[in-house]
């Protein structure tokens, strides 16, 4: 029985080590897949809507979110199995990436809202100016009619 226990302990330690490596690899992949800072800073667009659409695309976490989910999954499994001797560093890195993803999600929502609001605002401003021009034309026509009637 002593040999079986030793083998089981060795297998458990090996599995725990592999699980930690999986968490670390998933976290590294998540960091690598995050958008670069320049991707959200530098834009190439002809107008405001183009800038907003470019920014919204740049704020898409894509595969980074999947990698973070994998890291959380393996971390949770390891914690519940009490497989990690010291996993504080993993927990801190997961928390840090969670905060980054929350910031990305908030920014993405705000940019999406602006991207839908700006065209509506432009239309409203164009309509307001068109109404102003119509009113000015109507006033000019009325003045002209009064001038003709006076003659």
């Amino acid at each position: 029985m002593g040999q079986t226990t030793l083998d089981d302990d060795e297998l458990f330690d090996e599995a725990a080590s592999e699980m930690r490596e999986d968490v670390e690899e998933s976290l590294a992949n998540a960091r690598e897949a995050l958008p670069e800072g320049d991707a959200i800073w530098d834009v190439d667009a002809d107008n405001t809507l183009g800038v907003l659409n470019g920014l919204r695309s740049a704020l898409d976490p894509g595969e980074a979110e999947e990698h973070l989910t994998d890291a959380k999954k393996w971390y949770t499994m390891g914690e519940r199995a009490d497989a990690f001797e010291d996993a504080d560093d993993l927990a801190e890195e997961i928390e840090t990436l969670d905060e980054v993803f929350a910031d990305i999600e908030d920014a993405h929502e705000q940019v999406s809202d602006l991207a839908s609001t700006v065209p509506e605002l432009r239309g409203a401003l164009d309509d307001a100016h068109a109404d102003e021009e119509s009113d000015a034309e109507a006033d000019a026509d009325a003045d002209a009619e009064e001038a003709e009637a006076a003659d």
Side-chain angles (χ1 to χ4, degrees):
M1 181 164 206
Q3 182 64 34
T4 303
T5 303
L6 180 59
D7 289 342
D8 288 346
D9 288 344
E10 287 176 7
L11 289 174
F12 184 81
D13 290 345
E14 186 177 326
S17 177
E18 288 175 7
M19 197 174 295
R20 182 178 180 86
E21 288 173 13
D22 286 344
V23 173
E24 290 171 345
E25 182 179 344
S26 293
L27 288 170
N29 289 339
R31 281 191 185 278
E32 186 177 312
L34 283 171
E36 293 290 330
D38 286 345
I40 65 166
W41 192 257
D42 297 332
V43 293
D44 183 25
D46 295 331
N47 57 43
T48 302
L49 187 57
V51 169
L52 292 171
N53 284 331
L55 181 56
R56 182 171 45 187
S57 294
L59 289 169
D60 181 11
E63 291 180 18
E65 198 165 25
E66 295 169 25
H67 292 301
L68 181 59
T69 299
D70 285 344
K72 287 178 176 181
K73 176 177 63 177
W74 289 115
Y75 175 80
T76 301
M77 292 285 292
E79 279 292 293
R80 287 191 181 165
D82 199 24
F84 303 132
E85 288 181 22
D86 180 24
D88 291 342
D89 60 326
L90 298 176
E92 287 175 18
E93 191 165 355
I94 288 171
E95 184 178 337
T96 299
L97 284 175
D98 266 340
E99 291 171 3
V100 170
F101 278 98
D103 291 344
I104 289 172
E105 187 176 307
D106 288 345
H108 189 272
E109 286 177 22
Q110 292 173 10
V111 169
S112 294
D113 289 345
L114 275 174
S116 64
T117 301
V118 167
E120 293 171 7
L121 179 58
R122 179 182 181 194
L125 291 170
D126 288 347
D127 289 348
H129 286 288
D131 289 346
E132 181 181 320
E133 289 172 10
S134 292
D135 290 346
E137 288 176 15
D139 288 345
D141 289 344
D143 289 344
E145 286 177 16
E146 285 180 19
E148 278 181 28
D151 287 336

